[in-house]
Amino acid sequence: MSKKILITGASSGFGKAMAYRFAKDGWNLVITGRRADRLKELSDEITKSYKVDVSVKVFDVQNRDEVFSVLSADPNLNDLDILVNNAGLALGRDYFDEASLDDWETMIDTNLKGLLYVSKAVLPYFIKNGKGHIINIGSTAGKEVYEKGNVYCATKTSVEAISQAMRIDMLRHQIKVTAIHPGAAETEFSIVRFKGDEATAKTVYDGYQPLKAEDVADTAFYCASLPEHVCINSLVMTCTSQANSFYLLRK
Ligand code: NDP
Ligand code: 8X3
């Protein structure tokens, strides 16, 4: 029987690449994000190429009521196998004393609180089934804090902490929890971070080959495809030119 995955932040970057990767192997999809037009387009493209069911859910992970009203008591989620908490963003790259409080709140509300809301809304399906798998997308930014990374790094450090906590507390339900921590990857991430300044965003990837969204999607697919008794707990991945948040070899 086909498996089913719910991916947050599927309208772009890692989430979109994951949608394609899992569909290629016959997984049914629940794709989510705020941009309905993009999700509809993705759903149409995927169903044209693959014989899978795609369901689109439009909501803002920051909005607690919206998350629970869209995700709770949905018969389509009764047989959900995997949740990927991928929706997230960085906003600004500023010294702590100069950074915007609004940017901080949006990052905390999205990367941390959004992940908590979606997980809490989806867990009842997994608990009822006595199995399930949550894959949380963290970052190398949560492994080493870098200058002007402050609150983004804090939210991604929290993704690892929450993943560890979930793994412990979900042990009794036999639910797997995996945290994947990618390094620099060229998606819309930096365009969002620099608020539409594409030229500055481009400089982030100057002089080296960053990860591609497909690399992260392949890794998530690998973690999702392991036998029932195997769980990757935490995985850090970077492009070959990057060792960690600090060491990046640019030509
Ligand atoms: P993109 O900007 O390409 O994609 C981000 C996705 O998150 C979009 O689909 C966006 O959808 C969704 N999203 C953002 N805010 C919300 C929200 N409030 N509610 C619902 N969906 C939201 O970036 P990436 O694919 O690169 O990023 C995906 C994840 O990976 C993020 O958590 C990011 O922090 C993390 N990451 C990225 C790295 C990189 O270098 N690119 C490296 C390490 C981690 P929409 O706007 O339609 O709502
Ligand atoms: C994204 C990677 O290094 O730009 O999480 O913060 S980095």
Side-chain angles (χ1 to χ4, degrees):
M1 210 180 77
S2 289
K3 291 194 159 195
K4 190 178 286 178
I5 184 166
L6 188 159
I7 304 163
T8 67
S11 56
S12 170
F14 299 168
K16 183 175 178 179
M18 283 182 221
Y20 277 109
R21 182 64 193 84
F22 281 81
K24 192 175 143 204
D25 261 65
W27 285 61
N28 294 321
L29 309 176
V30 182
I31 52 174
T32 81
R34 291 165 301 180
R35 286 171 289 181
D37 51 339
R38 288 238 196 159
L39 293 170
K40 165 86 174 61
E41 199 180 310
L42 177 62
S43 167
D44 290 348
E45 281 171 14
I46 287 181
T47 46
K48 231 183 275 160
S49 309
Y50 305 105
K51 280 193 171 31
V52 298
D53 294 331
V54 182
S55 147
V56 171
K57 288 185 183 294
V58 179
F59 61 89
D60 184 335
V61 298
Q62 298 174 90
N63 186 324
R64 175 174 159 169
D65 292 341
E66 212 172 85
V67 169
F68 283 89
S69 82
V70 173
L71 295 179
S72 299
D74 178 354
N76 182 41
L77 297 179
N78 282 341
D79 59 349
L80 187 71
D81 295 283
I82 298 198
L83 161 66
V84 184
N85 281 310
N86 164 72
L89 79 175
L91 277 179
R93 195 158 171 176
D94 305 294
Y95 287 119
F96 185 91
D97 52 307
E98 293 171 357
S100 145
L101 282 172
D102 287 339
D103 287 351
W104 284 0
E105 284 182 12
T106 304
M107 288 188 278
I108 292 166
D109 289 350
T110 308
N111 302 354
L112 183 52
K113 289 165 73 178
L115 180 151
L116 297 176
Y117 298 157
V118 173
S119 303
K120 201 84 158 75
V122 165
L123 269 168
Y125 303 105
F126 290 165
I127 291 170
K128 198 163 171 212
N129 295 337
K131 68 182 172 78
H133 189 175
I134 298 179
I135 300 179
N136 292 326
I137 304 300
S139 170
T140 47
K143 294 288 160 183
E144 300 93 19
V145 174
Y146 54 80
E147 186 179 67
K148 302 180 180 174
N150 44 68
V151 170
Y152 179 66
C153 295
T155 62
K156 291 301 182 176
T157 303
S158 301
V159 170
E160 173 59 22
I162 287 293
S163 301
Q164 288 183 25
M166 283 179 171
R167 199 173 305 112
I168 296 164
D169 290 349
M170 292 305 118
L171 202 51
R172 71 198 199 287
H173 298 299
Q174 292 289 277
I175 293 167
K176 298 189 198 188
V177 181
T178 299
I180 299 177
H181 301 287
E186 192 162 5
T187 60
E188 291 176 17
F189 174 84
S190 291
I191 298 172
V192 172
R193 178 173 224 170
F194 296 110
K195 302 175 182 173
D197 178 350
E198 295 197 16
T200 302
K202 198 89 195 125
T203 64
V204 174
Y205 311 106
D206 274 352
Y208 68 103
Q209 167 64 65
L211 290 174
K212 296 180 189 154
E214 290 74 16
D215 302 322
V216 178
D218 284 343
T219 303
F221 186 77
Y222 170 74
C223 293
S225 307
L226 291 166
E228 199 78 34
H229 67 287
V230 183
C231 178
I232 301 286
N233 290 351
S234 184
L235 184 155
V236 181
M237 61 182 294
T238 63
C239 64
T240 310
S241 298
Q242 183 173 23
N244 62 22
S245 287
F246 306 121
Y247 291 93
L248 185 61
L249 189 68
R250 291 181 201 262
K251 292 219 174 82

